[in-house]
Amino acid sequence: MTSTINLKTLAAMTQAASKEQMRIYLCGAAIEVDTNGITYVSTDGHLLLASREELPEDAPRNETLGTWIIPTAECLAAKLGKRDMGEAVFSANKEGKVTLTSPSGTSRTFQAVDGTFPDWKRVVPQHYQRPCHDTEKAANNGAIEVNQFDPALLAKLAKFHSLMSGQRQAVPVLHHGEKGYPIPVTFPGIDATCQAFGVLMPHRATDEAFALPAWANVHADKDEQLAA
């Protein structure tokens, strides 16, 4: 029994895979295979990427059903050569041995990660609402509270977007929410047959408000003249 897997998506998922060997079950991408398609997920605890690809109505249904964690190295090696970045035939046995076979006939067999991928849907914002900032509070405090993010994670989001969309200058959209809570991220321009999103955890940095230095204030000279 076999199923169809997207090698490009599998490789792109490594952007959110963990490198901590103590959490080996996060060191790769989980694939959840059902009859009608595959859901790809990866997370390192700070960033989560998820993508769902449905099979065309006239395509054969998936037969190898279940969930497997594909190691990061195998996700990248699954390209099976520059000509084989599209779909591949996926099969697995009860011992977790996975085989990927490209349309050109090239195949690769490896062991899936022996572990249980966490219930990733629990960290996805289920009832996201655009924040409504309190303008009166902002006026009194001199600032509006917003989340801060690790720039390294933002770079990974941009890389994932570029790999999935084929755009060299892909720009993910961050849907800012309440301070301290994870936010959803979307990726405009990805193929219509693929649904993908990300979840980004905020980074605790500083609450220090920005104060414009006098040398950069276009009104500073005028204020000094008036004071004189």
Side-chain angles (χ1 to χ4, degrees):
M1 297 195 301
T2 61
S3 297
T4 301
I5 193 170
N6 190 315
L7 300 180
K8 181 183 73 172
T9 302
L10 193 61
M13 280 292 154
T14 61
Q15 293 301 314
S18 176
K19 296 182 179 179
E20 297 181 22
Q21 293 301 311
M22 292 296 292
R23 298 193 295 174
I24 191 64
Y25 52 88
L26 297 182
C27 296
I31 57 171
E32 302 173 352
V33 186
D34 58 60
T35 303
N36 298 318
I38 297 182
T39 300
Y40 305 76
V41 187
S42 62
T43 182
D44 60 2
H46 305 284
L47 175 66
L48 180 145
L49 293 170
S51 177
R52 171 71 181 176
E53 296 182 8
E54 298 279 349
L55 288 171
E57 292 185 3
D58 58 348
R61 300 298 92 182
N62 287 328
E63 299 174 323
T64 306
L65 310 181
T67 299
W68 290 266
I69 304 173
I70 310 300
T72 296
E74 298 298 341
C75 290
L76 297 173
K79 289 184 286 187
L80 302 174
K82 294 182 178 180
R83 295 182 301 168
D84 295 320
M85 275 300 287
E87 295 180 343
V89 174
F90 168 87
S91 61
N93 61 24
K94 294 181 179 180
E95 288 71 41
K97 284 285 186 180
V98 173
T99 299
L100 299 179
T101 305
S102 71
S104 65
T106 305
S107 65
R108 186 178 183 87
T109 300
F110 54 88
Q111 183 70 41
V113 174
D114 184 13
T116 301
F117 201 76
D119 185 2
W120 59 273
K121 293 181 181 179
R122 295 178 65 88
V123 304
V124 177
Q126 299 293 310
H127 303 287
Y128 175 79
Q129 293 182 339
R130 184 181 296 274
C132 180
H133 295 302
D134 187 333
T135 54
E136 182 177 353
K137 178 181 178 180
N140 292 334
N141 295 344
I144 296 177
E145 291 187 342
V146 295
N147 280 317
Q148 299 169 343
F149 303 102
D150 185 339
L153 298 181
L154 299 178
K156 290 182 177 181
L157 285 168
K159 180 66 173 179
F160 173 81
H161 192 179
S162 180
L163 291 171
M164 292 291 287
S165 66
Q167 303 172 12
R168 296 185 62 182
Q169 300 295 329
V171 180
V173 177
L174 277 61
H175 300 268
H176 291 275
E178 186 176 351
K179 184 178 181 180
Y181 288 85
I183 67 165
V185 182
T186 52
F187 307 98
I190 292 180
D191 192 302
T193 61
C194 169
Q195 296 178 327
F197 69 90
V199 177
L200 181 61
M201 294 296 296
H203 177 67
R204 179 69 177 176
T206 176
D207 292 326
E208 182 180 350
F210 172 70
L212 183 67
W215 51 265
N217 189 342
V218 70
H219 302 292
D221 294 339
K222 294 182 179 179
D223 293 340
E224 290 180 1
Q225 293 175 4
L226 292 175

